[in-house]
């Protein structure tokens, strides 16, 4: 019995509306024979000291003359960790970050004991997700002793904000910018898609090629502006954190994905996307966001989990569900792809859903600025109300939807408690108690 292998074999009829971007090898034309799973023998260069084929390929990978690009074989996660570790080594200052940062950012802060200022956030009317920085509430005096900011652009749901203005604002205040562009590797692929922050001189930009372009899972790319302060130190940490046995299959898939990116035309994508939206609208509400590659669907009275189950009955698998919606990642359809698009539309049109009228309570997201301090040492349990003014040890997360409302290390306020009390189930509150940092 081979548990994983046998399970994987069960998806032959499955259609992918989720990552990775090759959508079960139907997008692009990845050529990855197992005999190309090689190691660093003569002629194949040395990933951690690239001077030959890998170095040459990385020159082509660079999207801008001012940038150096580096293949990542352990995902965007290691790119983010490396920038924050490099920052800690070279600077005594703190970092600032958006509230919707990926867990790798929090892990890097914890590993390095770095404190962070949480920026005031805007929330999307369409998806109720964090979608940008609230510059009206941001004042430079909040950013004392900050020389690096971490931005999430786009958010997971494909929503964008004015990244050009944001980068210019931080640069004007001598703050370097790390952009987590995990969900934007395909940006600028044609004019129909949003622009990458590479266009606007972000300092360190990390893209998960595997999420939206046809590359193997774990294949990412970091683009670093040549004159940014941490470049050499980031290279050092990339070597520390990544495997010493880099996969040539991942490297080759990244190179092929980049070639796909350079030669892509979007006519087929745009017309099939319209056809899919029309099919979805027969049953669901369809929410279009800044990135045409993402669609959010809803149905009044249904939880995201229920919608997902209805779709999965048709053997269509989606990226994720929230308390009230489902996120679809569309394939970058193109002439000659092998994605079974007609079958997808047929199955979507087959889905029927009864009418319901109930509406869910949606979470009022915490948009305020705050501060994150890595939690260390002892914790103690106190009644929720007694916790006002204390730093929480475990995140307080209303569930659903499962988005942290108060992060570990943040100071709990009476305002937080007012919102938290409106939820029946909050992870981090057990029998009315929360864990706070025992400051001794
Ligand atoms: C916003 C964001 N950043 C970073 C990552 C990590 O990317 P990777 O899977 O390439 O390590 C993810 C993964 O889902 C993500 O959603």
């Amino acid at each position: 019995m081979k548990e994983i292998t046998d399970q994987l074999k069960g998806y032959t009829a499955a259609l992918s509306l989720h990552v990775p971007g090759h959508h079960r090898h139907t997008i692009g034309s990845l050529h990855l024979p197992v005999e190309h799973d090689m190691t660093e023998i003569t002629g194949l260069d040395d990933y951690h000291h690239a001077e030959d084929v890998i170095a040459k390929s990385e020159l082509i990978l660079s999207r801008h003359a001012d940038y150096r690009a580096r293949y990542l074989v352990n995902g965007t996660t290691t790119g983010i960790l490396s920038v924050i570790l490099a920052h800690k080594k070279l600077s005594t200052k703190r970092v600032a970050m958006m509230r919707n940062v990926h867990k790798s950012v929090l892990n890097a802060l914890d590993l390095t004991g770095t404190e962070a200022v949480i920026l005031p956030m805007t929330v999307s009317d369409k998806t109720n997700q964090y979608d940008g920085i609230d510059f009206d509430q941001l004042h430079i005096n909040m950013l004392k002793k900050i020389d690096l900011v971490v931005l999430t652009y786009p958010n997971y749901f494909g929503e964008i904000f004015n990244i050009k203005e944001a980068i210019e604002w931080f640069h004007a205040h001598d703050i370097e910018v790390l952009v987590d562009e995990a969900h934007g590797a395909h940006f600028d692929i044609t004019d129909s898609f949003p622009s990458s922050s590479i266009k606007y001189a972000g300092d360190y930009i990390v893209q998960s090629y595997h999420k939206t372009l046809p590359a193997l899972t774990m294949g990412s790319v970091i683009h670093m502006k040549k004159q940014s302060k941490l470049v050499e130190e980031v290279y050092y940490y990339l070597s520390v954190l990544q495997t010493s046995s880099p996969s040539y299959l991942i490297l080759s898939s990244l190179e092929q994905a980049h070639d796909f990116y350079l030669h892509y035309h979007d006519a087929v994508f745009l017309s099939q996307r319209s056809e899919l939206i029309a099919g979805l609208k027969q049953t669901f509400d369809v929410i279009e966001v800044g990135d045409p590659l993402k669609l959010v669907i809803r149905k009044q009275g249904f939880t995201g989990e229920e919608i997902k189950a209805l779709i999965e009955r048709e053997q269509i698998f989606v990226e994720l569900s929230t308390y009230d919606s489902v996120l679809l990642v569309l394939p970058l359809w193109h002439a000659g792809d092998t994605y079974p698009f007609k079958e997808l539309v047929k199955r979507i049109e087959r889905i029927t859903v009864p009418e319901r009228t109930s509406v869910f309570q949606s979470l009022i997201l915490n948009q305020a600025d705050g501060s994150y301090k890595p939690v260390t040492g002892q914790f103690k349990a106190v009644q929720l109300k007694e916790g006002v003014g204390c730093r929480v040890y475990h995140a307080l997360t209303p569930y659903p939807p499962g988005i942290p409302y108060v992060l570990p290390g943040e100071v709990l306020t009476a305002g937080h408690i007012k919102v938290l009390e409106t939820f029946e189930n909050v992870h981090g509150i057990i029998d009315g108690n929360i864990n706070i940092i025992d400051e001794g």
Side-chain angles (χ1 to χ4, degrees), residues 98-100 119-137 155 157 159-161 289 298 323-324 362-369 401 403-405:
M98 290 170 70
R99 204 173 262 283
N100 60 345
L119 301 170
M121 299 289 290
T122 56
V123 169
S124 157
D125 294 340
K126 290 184 171 183
T127 62
N128 196 34
Q129 301 288 330
Y130 294 116
D131 66 350
I133 300 164
D134 186 351
F135 276 97
D136 291 341
Q137 301 300 323
N155 70 8
F157 292 74
E159 294 176 292
I160 51 174
F161 56 95
V289 290
R298 281 203 193 114
Y323 64 107
D324 70 347
S362 61
L363 175 67
I364 304 156
L365 292 186
N366 181 2
Q367 294 176 247
D369 58 292
I403 300 165
Y405 190 73

Side-chain angles (χ1 to χ4, degrees), residues 401-417:
I403 300 165
Y405 190 73
V406 185
L407 289 170
E410 263 197 285
V411 176
L412 187 72
T413 65
H416 291 153
I417 292 179

Side-chain angles (χ1 to χ4, degrees), residues 74-78 80 100-104 152 154-156 180-183 207-211 218-220 319:
N74 292 103
T76 291
T77 298
T78 39
I80 290 172
N100 60 345
V101 287
H102 182 247
K103 65 181 179 184
S104 56
T152 311
N155 70 8
Y156 206 134
D180 175 355
E181 229 177 74
H183 297 280
Q207 298 178 321
S208 297
Y209 266 47
H210 63 97
K211 289 189 194 296
M218 292 173 77
S220 285
E319 178 67 9

